[in-house]
């Protein structure tokens, strides 16, 4: 994980780098991912996090060796608990998190894509939850999947294990963009740059509010967001943005 600095903000790239193991989310990989996501996350410079992977498989999900009878129940439970923690952590971070997918994402790997704020995929990417085929239903990936996809699409994936193509994933809302493989970095960069042009504090407020209101009924959601927008106007960057708009100049954010 190395932050790449540019134009007053920075993008941190977290690369899943165990292609020999198809970037499986072993306990060690999950611990390392959690550490990288949390590292210096309050830094003023950090504006966006991009999760990508080495090799033809973005992420194959849990390391099944760790889920075999060689390990005890306590270990199994620990693996699932830290996995859930990492997936929910992504949405609690104050900066947008982009999945940059080039290849196959299965089971908890598919869950990882579904848990990111934005997902850009190459045309060759595929997405599957094949747990049922090996007798371990993808119940935890289903939490993220059922919240990003129409129910019947999610359930077909969960019951059959058949993969969605990149285009199908786009059509059903699992990913935000599909591009040719050679344009993947360019597209991710474009989105990252755009994010870096906004105020970190305003985006942090907006992200936290978005996930909070999604779980509420519509009246509660409007009540809460009405209050948030009122609060947003009192923030220094809220005032600066509106002043800059009237003065027809670029805002100077304090973040």
């Amino acid at each position: 994980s190395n932050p790449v600095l540019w134009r007053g903000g920075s993008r941190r790239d977290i690369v899943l780098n165990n292609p020999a193991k198809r970037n499986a989310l072993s306990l060690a990989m999950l611990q390392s991912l959690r550490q990288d996501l949390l590292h210096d996350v309050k830094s003023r410079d950090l504006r966006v996090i991009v999760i990508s992977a080495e090799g033809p498989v973005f992420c194959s999900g849990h390391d099944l060796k760790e889920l075999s009878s060689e390990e005890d129940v306590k270990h199994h439970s620990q693996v699932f608990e830290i996995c859930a923690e990492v997936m929910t952590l992504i949405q609690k971070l104050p900066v947008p998190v982009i999945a940059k997918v080039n290849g196959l994402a299965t089971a908890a790997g598919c869950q990882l894509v579904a848990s990111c704020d934005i997902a850009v995929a190459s045309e060759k990417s595929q997405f599957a939850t094949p747990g049922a085929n090996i007798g371990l239903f993808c119940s935890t990936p289903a939490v993220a999947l059922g919240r990003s996809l129409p129910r019947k699409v999610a359930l077909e994936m969960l019951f059959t294990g058949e993969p969605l193509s990149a285009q199908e994933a786009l059509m059903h809302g699992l990913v935000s963009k599909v591009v040719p493989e050679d344009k993947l970095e360019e597209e991710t960069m474009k989105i990252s740059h755009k994010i870096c042009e906004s105020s970190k504090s305003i985006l942090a407020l907006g992200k936290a509010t978005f996930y909070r209101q999604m779980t509420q009924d519509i009246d509660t959601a409007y009540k809460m967001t009405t209050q948030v927008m009122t609060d947003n106007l009192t923030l220094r960057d809220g005032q600066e943005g509106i002043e800059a708009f009237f003065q027809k100049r670029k805002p100077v954010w304090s973040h």
Side-chain angles (χ1 to χ4, degrees), residues 107 129-139 155-161:
T129 47
N133 306 345
I134 58 156
L136 179 64
F137 198 88
C138 283
S139 289
L155 285 169
E156 186 183 341
M157 287 178 74
L158 291 159
F159 291 153
T160 67

Side-chain angles (χ1 to χ4, degrees), residues 13 40 80 116 167:
D13 274 281
D40 214 11
F80 294 127
C116 287
Q167 283 303 334

Side-chain angles (χ1 to χ4, degrees), residues 16-26 29-30 52-65 67 83 87 101-113 126-131 134 136 138 141:
L16 307 179
N17 193 7
N18 191 357
K21 279 275 183 96
R22 305 175 73 200
N23 296 316
L25 294 176
S26 61
M29 182 78 105
L30 285 164
S52 63
E54 284 295 323
V57 175
F58 174 76
C59 177
S60 59
H62 289 294
D63 181 347
L64 292 177
K65 267 212 162 58
L67 303 181
C83 186
M87 301 298 168
V101 188
N102 188 23
L104 182 65
T106 62
C110 188
Q111 179 185 8
L112 180 58
V113 177
Q126 287 188 306
F127 305 86
T129 47
I134 58 156
L136 179 64
C138 283

